[in-house]
Amino acid sequence: MVIGQVIADGISIAGILIIVALGLGIIFGVMKVINMAHGDLIMIGAYTTYVFSTVMKLPFFAGMIAAFVVTALVGALIEMLVIRKLYGRILETLLATYGVSLLLQQIVRMIFGPGGKSVKNPLESSLSIGSVVLPHFRLFIILFAVFLLLLVAFVIYKTKFGIQFRTVSQNREMSECLGINTSLIDTYTFAFGAGLAGIAGAALAPLKTVSPTMGLDYLVDAFMVVVLGGVGSLTGTAIGSGVIGEANQLLTLVTTETLGKILVFILVIIVIRFKPEGLFKMERR
């Protein structure tokens, strides 16, 4: 396999990691909630896309929008019924979201069965540049990841919700004194992060078999991206995704895929040993 193809595949994987990690970056990086159900929110987004595009025969991109809406609503319910009572209690939050994860998987099994489902690739052709072949859908994911990154930056830094969201994350007591409904902002923020996970599931649906446990494969990678890039940093999320995506692919040239993942994991441990805040530290006033 030529080095150009490996690098192109690494960029494609980095795009997927950006989409997967954005929602986790908001929920874990800013709200300080270790959400073990993040992978299952990705799974719900994938199943929503399956229902819209495969069962109902609607356009794939309508399924992506539906995945965001449905998963955001599920995330809002999780925040109001479970997370809201556990803010500041990290261990209890971890255990509770793990329980939510198992519950969501079982509900999906009861509705759709344990077998895998498939979603048709909406962009089946590919682009060839010399010996490098880049499927159009992979190219779409790269461009969509960049768009989503810019959109999230706009929402956080240029909208009223974003200002309130950053205010609450930095000083909850002062925010309440200023009349901000912090509980409502918490719900909106968690729902927004969950919705982004749903979009990640929609993007993965044509590439992977849609199954109740499909999100678990991306949970560890998403946490590694957030920790490596810097908790709460959008730039760090992008750089962390690029480093992990390219490292995973380049290491497959000299070793197996499994050993490559282990080496990437060791690399992340070494980096946070010397830079505990990650590559990009989020500035707080």
Side-chain angles (χ1 to χ4, degrees):
M1 185 181 292
V2 297
I3 188 72
Q5 184 66 58
V6 174
I7 293 174
D9 291 344
I11 294 173
S12 171
I13 291 175
I16 293 174
L17 289 177
I18 288 175
I19 299 174
V20 170
L22 270 178
L24 188 69
I26 290 173
I27 294 174
F28 172 56
V30 180
M31 299 183 72
K32 304 293 182 292
V33 172
I34 300 177
N35 181 20
M36 297 299 290
H38 188 76
D40 303 285
L41 295 172
I42 294 173
M43 174 266 292
I44 289 175
Y47 270 98
T48 303
T49 308
Y50 161 74
V51 170
F52 272 73
S53 64
T54 302
V55 179
M56 299 173 67
K57 307 296 183 186
L58 293 173
F60 171 79
F61 299 103
M64 290 189 78
I65 297 172
F68 177 84
V69 174
V70 170
T71 317
L73 290 174
V74 173
L77 284 176
I78 293 174
E79 197 280 335
M80 289 187 289
L81 298 177
V82 180
I83 304 296
R84 182 173 295 180
K85 307 178 190 326
L86 300 173
Y87 282 121
R89 297 157 62 184
I90 296 176
L91 182 59
E92 287 91 335
T93 305
L94 189 150
L95 293 174
T97 53
Y98 181 67
V100 170
S101 167
L102 297 177
L103 178 65
L104 292 176
Q105 289 177 30
Q106 191 56 37
I107 290 174
V108 168
R109 282 193 187 94
M110 292 169 63
I111 296 174
F112 296 98
K117 308 294 181 186
S118 62
V119 174
K120 184 181 179 182
N121 188 337
L123 302 170
E124 293 182 332
S125 54
S126 60
L127 174 69
S128 297
I129 305 175
S131 59
V132 177
V133 178
L134 191 61
H136 280 164
F137 189 70
R138 294 268 184 178
L139 185 60
F140 163 75
I141 285 180
I142 295 170
L143 297 176
F144 185 67
V146 174
F147 166 75
L148 208 57
L149 200 61
L150 295 175
L151 179 64
V152 170
F154 175 80
V155 170
I156 291 178
Y157 294 106
K158 297 295 182 181
T159 66
K160 181 180 178 181
F161 163 69
I163 294 171
Q164 293 182 339
F165 155 70
R166 287 184 290 129
T167 303
V168 172
S169 69
Q170 295 191 24
N171 195 322
R172 176 175 295 273
E173 290 75 18
M174 182 60 73
S175 302
E176 290 175 345
C177 292
L178 293 173
I180 297 175
N181 187 337
T182 56
S183 296
L184 190 61
I185 294 299
D186 287 338
T187 303
Y188 285 168
T189 303
F190 198 93
F192 184 52
L196 292 174
I199 288 183
L204 288 170
L207 301 174
K208 304 288 181 181
T209 300
V210 179
S211 69
T213 58
M214 66 173 288
L216 299 179
D217 295 338
Y218 295 94
L219 184 61
V220 175
D221 285 342
F223 270 111
M224 284 202 298
V225 166
V226 173
V227 172
L228 176 66
V231 175
S233 169
L234 290 179
T235 304
T237 299
I239 299 298
S241 299
V243 170
I244 292 177
E246 286 295 346
N248 270 326
Q249 287 302 109
L250 290 172
L251 285 172
T252 57
L253 290 173
V254 295
T255 183
T256 64
E257 183 177 350
T258 302
L259 185 56
K261 285 184 175 294
I262 293 173
L263 292 174
V264 170
F265 191 70
I266 293 173
L267 171 67
V268 173
I269 291 175
I270 293 173
V271 171
I272 61 175
R273 168 66 180 81
F274 294 99
K275 290 181 70 69
E277 70 280 5
L279 297 176
F280 292 86
K281 182 180 180 181
M282 184 179 182
E283 297 295 336
R284 292 178 181 273
R285 295 180 180 178

